[in-house]
Amino acid sequence: MGADIKQLRTRIKSVDSTLHLTKAMELVASSKIRKATDAMQKGKEYSAALEECAAQLAGFEECKRSPYMAKREGDRTCLVVIAGDRGLAGGYNANIFRLMREYTDAEIIPIGKRACERYGKETVNAEGYPFARAREIALKVCSDFAEGKIDRFGIVCTEYRSLISQEATVKWVLPLAAGEGKSASCALFEPDEVTVLNALIPEYVAGMIMSAVKESFACEVAARRVAMDSAGKNAREMIDRLGLEYNRARQGAITQEITEIVAGSGL
């Protein structure tokens, strides 16, 4: 009986330590949510402005001559894959890697420590990801696409639905879709629409990458907060259950001692 009490006491102490850890991680995630969601919204506004410009230009007949609007017959795919810098975020990372099973032959450009570890590349954190690096990727991708080295380019990231709902998805960026009915006939582009579109596309791709990174990071923080909150609730329930078992064991041990004392005194 004494061994059971000691074991229960050890388990309660272990679960209590876990509870403190999950609570601390939940507080850290909570403190980052506001900043992360603000950055996500700014990223979305910027990418939306770029998308609107690209859609207007893509609506011009002349722009169909752009290499970035060329539809390819091949299936050579290049994907930027954005995962988290750390674990303990529920299914955040697992959902990204599960989606990637559909693109086993794709060329991968990972962002985020977990993605870099998965694909054996130099570690590039998602938190604090610089625009200069996104632009480097964009220039390389645009060059490869224009030269016919790849047939399509997309971003595998996590879409923010709400604080408790995020979904892994693929955002296809190139080739640029024709903007039906979106051409700005009142706008004048110099020297011509195709030249402006070709100059815009690298910035457009870089903006899409940065927006996806910021949105994915907000999703990671939100997923970690929810996961740690759930883990904390489970830990508290386990502590309550183990506490009951511990009290019963102690009560049983005390009863046994009293019984032995009474029995001994009657001899």
Side-chain angles (χ1 to χ4, degrees):
M1 185 66 72
D4 290 342
I5 291 175
K6 186 177 180 181
Q7 186 179 23
L8 285 168
R9 190 185 295 121
T10 301
R11 288 186 65 191
I12 290 172
K13 187 176 180 180
S14 175
V15 176
D16 187 59
S17 297
T18 301
L19 176 60
H20 281 82
L21 175 63
T22 58
K23 186 63 178 177
M25 292 188 70
E26 181 187 351
L27 290 172
V28 171
S30 297
S31 68
K32 289 184 176 182
I33 283 178
R34 178 68 180 271
K35 185 178 179 180
T37 52
D38 285 348
M40 175 185 69
Q41 290 301 331
K42 290 176 182 176
K44 283 187 173 183
E45 290 172 7
Y46 180 66
S47 64
L50 289 171
E51 282 188 274
E52 184 178 354
C53 291
Q56 285 184 349
L57 287 162
F60 287 97
E61 188 67 27
E62 296 84 352
C63 286
K64 292 181 180 179
R65 295 186 284 112
S66 170
Y68 300 116
M69 295 189 67
K71 300 295 189 295
R72 308 282 172 74
E73 296 295 330
D75 59 354
R76 293 167 299 178
T77 302
C78 178
L79 293 171
V80 164
V81 179
I82 306 169
D85 294 330
R86 290 174 290 277
L88 299 177
Y92 173 77
N93 291 315
N95 292 337
I96 287 291
F97 299 137
R98 189 178 299 114
L99 179 59
M100 281 303 298
R101 293 174 188 170
E102 302 175 21
Y103 306 98
T104 54
D105 296 328
E107 176 188 345
I108 306 299
I109 302 172
I111 297 175
K113 186 178 179 180
R114 287 291 189 263
C116 293
E117 290 173 351
R118 180 91 172 191
Y119 299 108
K121 300 292 180 68
E122 176 191 356
T123 298
V124 179
N125 289 343
E127 185 175 5
Y129 189 76
F131 182 79
R133 192 140 193 173
R135 199 167 190 281
E136 286 178 13
I137 293 174
L139 290 170
K140 176 66 165 58
V141 166
C142 289
S143 175
D144 288 349
F145 188 86
E147 293 173 12
K149 294 179 181 178
I150 58 175
D151 299 310
R152 61 176 180 168
F153 168 70
I155 304 171
V156 179
C157 56
T158 306
E159 191 175 75
Y160 189 96
R161 300 289 180 82
S162 69
L163 185 62
I164 60 173
S165 177
Q166 303 88 32
E167 183 178 354
T169 186
V170 181
K171 296 181 178 179
W172 296 109
V173 182
L174 295 176
L176 191 68
E180 296 180 4
K182 293 183 179 180
S183 61
S185 57
C186 60
L188 180 62
F189 296 94
E190 294 290 348
D192 55 69
E193 292 83 2
V194 179
T195 301
V196 175
L197 177 63
N198 291 343
L200 172 68
I201 291 302
E203 298 299 324
Y204 165 70
V205 173
M208 292 293 287
I209 292 171
M210 279 305 300
S211 177
V213 169
K214 291 179 183 298
E215 185 170 8
S216 291
F217 180 68
C219 289
E220 180 188 358
V221 173
R224 182 170 293 112
R225 181 187 180 281
V226 171
M228 291 301 98
D229 178 61
S230 178
K233 289 178 181 176
N234 291 337
R236 283 188 287 272
E237 290 176 3
M238 184 174 291
I239 288 173
D240 291 342
R241 180 172 58 79
L242 290 172
L244 288 173
E245 292 182 23
Y246 175 77
N247 290 334
R248 289 195 191 103
R250 280 195 63 201
Q251 186 176 14
I254 293 170
T255 301
Q256 183 177 349
E257 288 178 8
I258 293 173
T259 301
E260 290 174 354
I261 292 170
V262 171
S265 64
L267 294 176

